[in-house]
Amino acid sequence: MDKPQPFRIDIAQADLDELDERLARTRWPDQLPGVGWSYGVERGYLTELVDHWRTGYDWRGHEARLNEVPQFTTTIDGQRIHFLHVRSPEPGAIPLLITHGWPSTVYEFLDVIGPLADPRAHGGDPADAFHVVVPSLPGFAFSGPTRETGWGSRRIGRALDELMQGLGYERYGTQGGDFGSIISPEIGRLAPERVIGVHVNALANASVPTVPGDLDRLSEAERKLAQEAAAEWQGFSGYATQMATRPQTLAYALNDSPAGQLAWNIEWYVAHDPGKTDQTPIDRDVILTDVTILWLTGTAGSAARLYLEAGEEGWGERPAPSPVPTGIASFKGDLAIRGLAEISNTITHWSEYDTGGHFASLQAPDLLVSDIRTFFRSLRS
């Protein structure tokens, strides 16, 4: 690992002007009458959001907010790695590595970094403090694009373990959601002697049966949940299939049309149909900031490759058992099933919430922070 260099985001105004011009020239497709979201992202919703992107969204404000957080870049295994790094003022703080998923960026964690790093200043117990490290995953945003094949979850895990060691953290915890819920436990499998505990939300590989015999391990109630989850995934998994098989074909469209990239990214943020979900809504400017970051860095196509790279490692297979203590928080809309999660994880903490959503750091930040604190409390020494 190279010596980390301070980093500051400073997007050229010409790039913002070009984005505005491309949005203004969007060539909109037709939509069948009365189909709503059943065929994909609803046109009226998207046109209104694109109009707001052009006329009401302030990139410079969000850029400034990101630049308030200490951030750095380094090179690990030949790949540029960008990361936020906030050291706690508390002497007993635990180092905590937080990994995001797709199509996320580090921006999604700005509301949880402060309470995790400095609980005393946020009405919490200083004994629950963390040194917080939040990397942009290789291929995403300011850590992208990747320059060679092979950047699946295991290689990413090895690189992030090297990052933590390079920062002087020989013992640390991990946390992640969505694809981060695959990467964070993988780091524990790769370095169980260093990872004291793994906390995840939106656990991505414990909702549907993937291996013969999976259903036999479950209770009757869990089997019903697994079958329902499999049916739901079948209806919305087209995006993952495309990215796991032909990401380069998709990349041309994502890199050429900001409205198209927004449409491709948005369904998970709005839970497929914003008019029918009971998950906590995500502020549209936060969604646009994630999308804008990927657009301005030209990494939407590179980020999509993660699905193929992880698939090459056997993403769809059940992971090897991990000895590392693992805590799981399941928020509204998450489909994780404990019987499936226990096959590959040593679960010592399980929480279920009837609020929030898939992006817990945005939809239930206070609950996520509380759950992380509770889980790691028993692992502090």
Side-chain angles (χ1 to χ4, degrees):
M1 169 178 162
D2 291 348
K3 180 180 178 180
Q5 300 298 316
F7 180 79
R8 181 176 178 82
I9 303 168
D10 186 15
I11 299 299
Q13 185 59 43
D15 292 339
L16 300 178
D17 293 341
E18 186 204 28
L19 170 60
D20 181 76
E21 292 168 5
R22 285 176 179 267
L23 289 171
R25 292 169 57 84
T26 300
R27 186 174 180 229
W28 293 101
D30 73 308
Q31 176 167 309
L32 293 171
V35 300
W37 286 70
S38 64
Y39 277 53
V41 177
E42 197 269 329
R43 174 174 163 159
Y45 182 95
L46 191 65
T47 55
E48 181 180 346
L49 189 56
V50 166
D51 181 66
H52 173 69
W53 199 358
R54 289 195 60 229
T55 62
Y57 172 76
D58 175 24
W59 162 257
R60 291 301 186 195
H62 298 281
E63 180 183 67
R65 188 180 180 212
L66 268 168
N67 282 331
E68 292 174 358
V69 183
Q71 50 194 297
F72 306 84
T73 58
T74 185
T75 301
I76 301 175
D77 192 11
Q79 177 65 36
R80 169 188 166 104
I81 302 292
H82 163 262
F83 61 99
L84 311 182
H85 186 197
V86 179
R87 291 187 183 271
S88 173
E90 304 297 339
I94 292 177
L96 181 65
L97 173 71
I98 300 178
T99 52
H100 64 78
W102 181 91
S104 300
T105 72
V106 298
Y107 188 83
E108 293 183 10
F109 298 103
L110 296 191
D111 287 339
V112 302
I113 291 175
L116 289 172
D118 193 1
R120 188 193 302 269
H122 293 81
D125 185 344
D128 287 327
F130 298 89
H131 301 302
V132 182
V133 180
V134 188
S136 297
L137 293 183
F140 286 69
F142 305 104
S143 288
T146 49
R147 301 297 184 184
E148 59 184 4
T149 61
W151 280 99
S153 55
R154 293 192 192 117
R155 187 173 180 182
I156 291 174
R158 287 192 293 271
L160 297 185
D161 177 51
E162 183 174 337
L163 171 65
M164 294 301 280
Q165 292 182 79
L167 295 174
Y169 299 138
E170 290 297 327
R171 294 277 288 163
Y172 61 91
T174 67
Q175 200 285 327
D178 189 78
F179 230 108
S181 76
I182 296 173
I183 293 169
S184 291
E186 191 62 32
I187 299 171
R189 294 184 181 92
L190 293 166
E193 72 282 7
R194 286 188 287 277
V195 177
I196 65 171
V198 175
H199 182 280
V200 300
N201 61 283
L203 183 58
N205 58 5
S207 59
V208 298
T210 58
V211 177
D214 272 358
L215 286 177
D216 296 336
R217 298 171 178 263
L218 306 182
S219 67
E220 182 176 348
E222 287 179 327
R223 281 197 295 272
K224 185 174 184 295
L225 289 174
Q227 290 164 347
E228 292 173 351
E232 181 172 342
W233 177 243
Q234 178 64 29
F236 295 106
S237 61
Y239 81 99
T241 300
Q242 176 68 30
M243 293 194 294
T245 55
R246 309 294 288 174
Q248 187 63 34
T249 303
L250 175 66
Y252 300 109
L254 296 180
N255 206 55
D256 190 61
S257 170
Q261 184 196 310
L262 175 60
W264 188 257
N265 290 171
I266 203 170
E267 281 191 289
W268 281 107
Y269 287 119
V270 299
H272 309 304
D273 184 344
K276 295 181 180 179
T277 182
D278 55 358
Q279 294 184 31
T280 304
I282 300 174
D283 183 88
R284 61 181 179 175
D285 278 9
V286 174
I287 297 172
L288 290 175
T289 299
D290 270 344
V291 173
T292 303
I293 289 171
L294 293 176
W295 173 263
L296 293 172
T297 56
T299 57
S302 176
R305 292 198 289 263
L306 175 59
Y307 279 71
L308 187 149
E309 302 288 1
E312 293 289 321
E313 296 177 340
W315 172 35
E317 301 172 3
R318 189 67 58 205
S322 169
V324 178
T326 300
I328 295 175
S330 184
F331 290 88
K332 188 74 175 180
D334 287 342
L335 302 175
I337 296 169
R338 182 161 186 164
L340 294 177
E342 287 177 336
I343 298 172
S344 301
N345 303 281
T346 301
I347 296 176
T348 60
H349 171 90
W350 182 281
S351 300
E352 295 186 8
Y353 299 96
D354 60 2
T355 188
H358 187 79
F359 298 89
S361 64
L362 301 176
Q363 295 169 292
D366 293 344
L367 288 177
L368 178 62
V369 167
S370 176
D371 207 86
I372 293 170
R373 289 172 175 169
T374 298
F375 169 67
F376 280 102
R377 204 168 285 152
S378 65
L379 300 175
R380 292 177 181 269
S381 59

